[in-house]
Amino acid sequence: MNVITRGVKNSLRSPMRSGAIILMLAISIGLILSMLVARSSVESKINDVKATTGTSITINPAGVQGFAGGGNPLTSAQVATISSTTHIVSATTTLSDQMGASDTNLTPSLTLGSFGARQQRFESSSSTETAPNNSATVSRPAPTPRIAVTGTTNPNSYATNGGSLTITNGATINGSSSDLVALVGSSLATKNNLTTGSTFTAYGKTITVSGIYSTGNTFQDSGVIMPLATVQTLTGQAGDASSVIAKVDSSENVDATVSNLKTELGSDKVDITSEAQQAASSVSSLTAISGLALAGVIGATIAGAVIVLLAMVMIVRERRREIGVIKAIGGTTRKVVGQFVTEALTLTIIGAIIGLSFGVVASGPMTNSLVSSQAASNSAGAQLGGAGPVFRRGLNQLNTNLTKVQSSLTPQVFVASIGITLLIAIIGSAVPAWFISRIRPAEVLRTE
Amino acid sequence: MLSVKNLTKSFQSPSGTVKALAGINMDVETGQFVSIIGKSGSGKSTLLSMLGALDIPTSGNIEVDDQDIAKLSSGKQTAYRAHKIGFVFQQYNLIPNLSALENVMLALEFGGVKSSERKSRARQLLADVGIDESQQARKPSRLSGGQQQRVSIARALANNPAIILADEPTGNLDSETGQKIFDLLHNLSRSKNTTIIAVTHDLDIAGKTDRTFRLKDGKLTTI
């Protein structure tokens, strides 16, 4: 019989007490594994979301959102600054405008409805109505439907599926040209019987239809896309832009690039948003779960270590005389400590086997429960308005991702659990070992 | 040869310094059976602790085979206890969850005996002190007081020590069993030439040893 055999044998000396210690350790270690699995799964999902998040940055003039708001468009100098900023690999410049009845011979395919009419109520009008408080009579505009015109350097940026713009008839246009050509949305084309080669009037010029596009989005399919320079010339806004969508070389550089752009362009001159920022905001609930799981791991580790520590302190105090006798008959402190550490390890290993088995079974439901409750609240909070096609697409993908966290017990997590278990045994044995080293056989035997 | 010179031991207590041993001088020849008598609190157990290198004297020398054990390092004192000293306690002090055989094997392990030899040697030692094979497998709680003390003596003899220190070896036994244990120790000192120093209250037993000392007020006198 050697130190290890004695330690193992001693660990089961009092079955009731050993059973209670093992049970408490098993719960603690099971919790550690479950929390590690939850954390690992959530971290993996966060990384997935960040990896699949686009690297686009949208720069708008300060105060402008679509056709709403007010302010000055981006200048050609600002657009050039954006394109030359470090880490930006490409930039799509857009200038948006709306054509009224005086600008074009096209008939809008959208009907205004009460919503559209309300948006135009401040414009010159010939009608009047009574204000809600009956105190005054106010002017109301004669609603006129409009046609959205987008001048862009890249017509594909208008696609809602992240790929190329779907051309149902004809061919796409060259966004870098200044030709009097246009892509017409399918709804607008149908309304005006336009097809490839047809012409229409815009801003006093004759525009040739190069192709018909379809996005599946009613608003977008009621518009016209032209080369950027064409719209700039037709609208008398040479060099101006209403938005730039820039692509950054990697997701790690998005934050730094946003910061650089704000410095270069002036944060009061432009509004900059990035998909990465939106993603970070969206995964904040998962980050919270990850933090919670880490706190759980630390808490359970401390609890486990305290259980072993108190149990071993109790055992050492109880067996003080025995330790004194062993030392008196020639046992070294190292051997006695080894025996008690083996005892602690045996209890911990048995607790670990039971706890890890429990953890393997419980970790899946526990992770799913944590994530599904958080994802529900996240989904409610992610209803962002005013986002463009690129952002809408990104956020939809993000929400889909967030609800699909799968718990996975990887070898790394299992090894980490075993490592923590050993840490518990070591911490739990360290103080008792110190007690043992201080026990002097003469003092113990003198108490006879 | 055991030689003790001017040995003192003082303790600090709330009421001041207590001098448990006040200049002990003693020479014991190899193979002698020596008894020390004295009242409770006279310092008998303290003296045994010093001789067994369980405690460090305040001053003085304890020489065993010309080696001053009071000046040994902690590690060497442990080795000294394992190889040169055998302890027999009044309360037997066997490890409760080990069998009689395993208790003796434990001392053999500390003495550096190969694991393959321990079992047979422990069986022989137990047989020598009158513990049969069925009793060897029992835990201490299933042995009588006399049997436990025999196991304790077998454990003390495990590594062929030069000195056996016995602290009231018959104190917990009835007179008949006590006499048998004394005879066992006496025979050992004769057959194995082992020095035995026994602390006892029993004057009858003390009278049968080779030499008897009286310890009173921390001072040792020969009777």
Side-chain angles (χ1 to χ4, degrees), chain A residues 331-354:
Chain A
T332 59
T333 298
R334 193 159 53 91
K335 282 203 169 188
V336 186
V337 168
Q339 181 184 314
F340 279 82
V341 168
T342 305
E343 260 186 80
L345 263 176
T346 305
L347 292 172
T348 311
I349 288 170
I350 297 173
I353 291 169
I354 298 169

Side-chain angles (χ1 to χ4, degrees), chain A residues 2-4 6-7 323 326-327 330-343 429 432-439, chain B residues 74-75 78-79 81 109-110:
Chain A
N2 55 24
V3 170
I4 293 171
R6 272 200 305 281
I323 293 165
I326 291 174
K327 284 188 172 184
T332 59
T333 298
R334 193 159 53 91
K335 282 203 169 188
V336 186
V337 168
Q339 181 184 314
F340 279 82
V341 168
T342 305
E343 260 186 80
S429 308
W434 181 75
F435 276 133
I436 289 167
S437 70
R438 287 176 58 86
I439 290 175
Chain B
S74 173
T78 303
R81 288 198 296 269
E109 179 191 328
F110 296 151

Side-chain angles (χ1 to χ4, degrees), chain A residues 282-302:
Chain A
S282 297
V283 297
S284 61
S285 59
L286 288 185
T287 308
I289 294 175
S290 176
L292 188 70
L294 181 63
V297 170
I298 294 169
T301 303
I302 292 171

Side-chain angles (χ1 to χ4, degrees), chain B residues 191-209:
Chain B
S191 62
K192 300 198 177 213
N193 201 31
T194 306
T195 305
I196 298 177
I197 300 174
V199 163
T200 182
H201 277 108
D202 192 331
L203 293 177
D204 282 349
I205 285 177
K208 291 174 188 169
T209 58

